[in-house]
Amino acid sequence: MVVGTAQAAGAQPAPVVPGPALSVATVLDGLSKPWDVVQAPDGAVLTGERSGRFVVSRPDGSSGEVAADLSDLFVAGETGLMGIALSRDFASNRTLYTCQGHRNPGAASPAGSLDTGSLDTGSVDGSDRDVRVVSWTVDDNWTQLTRGADVLTGIPIGSTGRHGGCRVLAHSDGTLYIGAGDSASPTAPQDRSSLAGKVLHVNVDGTPAAGNPDPAGPVFTLGHRNVQGLAVQPGTGRLYGIEQGTTADDEVNLLVAGSNYGYRPDRLPGVYDESVPMTDPNRVPGAVAAVWSSGAPTIATPGGTFLDGASWGEWAGTLVVTSQQAQKLVLLRLAADGRSVTEQSVALEGQFGRLRSATLAPDGALLLTTDNGSGDKVLRVTPAS
């Protein structure tokens, strides 16, 4: 079974080894496209449906909707209520962050909110919609989310919502990393003045974080198509992006400030040309090669996290990547320098349908969301005893 290929020039695919035995329990069900999931220190598990609803499993065993003002939510195509992250200081400030589509009051909502897969010329006028990061606080009983400030605004999005994917990662240093889709715009990934097709790095007040290549701007890395997963490697602090590919090469990238990852879909003037390589060193000199890529066809990789904790035994430290199209987990053991894959395996293949988000719970359990459109679930995955 071919799981993926090493991207580095001349590298051979990493050997495939048997995956771990896993136990799976359902935390929440009856959902529709839950985009992300987090677990709070008190044990509450919160998810958000892309169409605009927060749902929680509370510490007392009850579950239900958490009220929130989402009246400005822009829902179209791949865009809506997306990434969720708890503040580093959640236990004291009850603050969390979301990535979500936004439309100005009075702007019409597009008809339909399903992924169509159709091509988009990349028209982005920015006049009535964007993707933004929003702060919220939640009450102690998990019944009400109160909206706070917009942390970051102005991530472009076209009228179809294509490639509006947005992941937010709350780093242990108190800053936020944000993976932003390219809005299906041919020029956005290489346009340093655009927030689309980038990984962004900001403080929680929205100001640029220290270490960005331009100290006055939020851009951390560029040349991306649709970064929907972000993960920090335990022990090293390395930051990885998980990116959706075109017809070939979903990618895992080691993210380094100022680096360009080589996606440039503007080969034909005014056309979003997805026949270009995901990483194109010829048209983007110095483009950074991926740590891992899926090869062809793509398997659609929207999320990932590192396993951590003694319960995982030899699998601790492994990067877990979710797959929608191939309906499985891909487990990647990275080399010591973090720039290649030494072993890979699969798990849960075909058992739960499309898998979207992966989050590590405080106790080391893996939380997953399914992405089948109806009857979706939040799953808790642990090593089989």
Side-chain angles (χ1 to χ4, degrees), residues 104-182:
N104 290 337
S109 296
S113 59
L114 298 177
D115 291 315
T116 64
S118 60
L119 294 178
D120 190 323
T121 60
S123 174
V124 181
D125 59 30
S127 61
D128 62 6
R129 61 189 175 271
D130 64 356
V131 173
R132 54 185 56 187
V133 177
V134 178
S135 67
W136 305 79
T137 56
V138 65
D139 68 298
D140 291 343
N141 297 320
W142 291 94
T143 61
Q144 177 77 46
L145 277 158
T146 301
R147 191 156 176 168
D150 290 339
V151 176
L152 183 70
T153 64
I155 302 173
I157 185 62
S159 60
T160 67
R162 189 162 188 249
H163 292 187
C166 184
R167 179 76 61 180
V168 57
L169 182 149
H171 197 275
S172 60
D173 67 5
T175 65
L176 302 176
Y177 287 91
I178 302 149
D182 67 5

Side-chain angles (χ1 to χ4, degrees), residues 216-362:
V219 173
F220 185 72
T221 60
L222 71 158
H224 300 289
R225 181 175 182 266
N226 202 6
V227 177
Q228 292 192 342
L230 292 169
V232 174
Q233 186 179 40
T236 70
R238 295 170 183 145
L239 177 66
Y240 289 84
I242 297 100
E243 188 160 354
Q244 297 259 21
T246 55
T247 57
D249 295 335
D250 301 301
E251 292 184 343
V252 172
N253 288 298
L254 174 58
L255 302 176
V256 177
S259 293
N260 191 325
Y261 293 83
Y263 188 55
R264 187 179 171 183
D266 63 348
R267 184 163 54 188
L268 303 174
V271 175
Y272 185 61
D273 178 9
E274 293 182 278
S275 68
V276 302
M278 280 290 289
T279 303
D280 190 345
N282 295 320
R283 297 179 63 242
V284 185
V288 178
V291 170
W292 172 91
S293 63
S294 65
T298 48
I299 62 173
T301 51
T305 192
F306 283 91
L307 300 179
D308 196 21
S311 65
W312 288 103
E314 65 175 342
W315 294 98
T318 301
L319 177 63
V320 177
V321 176
T322 55
S323 166
Q324 295 164 299
Q325 188 169 311
Q327 302 184 5
K328 63 186 178 184
L329 297 178
V330 178
L331 289 83
L332 304 173
R333 194 181 303 279
L334 304 184
D337 65 1
R339 297 182 179 277
S340 62
V341 173
T342 60
E343 288 182 342
Q344 53 188 329
S345 61
V346 300
L348 304 185
E349 188 167 13
Q351 295 183 37
F352 298 97
R354 293 160 57 92
L355 301 178
R356 174 172 281 283
S357 190
T359 303
L360 199 68

Side-chain angles (χ1 to χ4, degrees), residues 30 42 47-48 55 62 75 96 120 165 185 245 252 271 330 345 366 384-385:
D42 64 5
T47 191
V55 182
S62 66
V75 180
L96 58 91
D120 190 323
S185 165
V252 172
V271 175
V330 178
S345 61
L366 181 65
S385 56

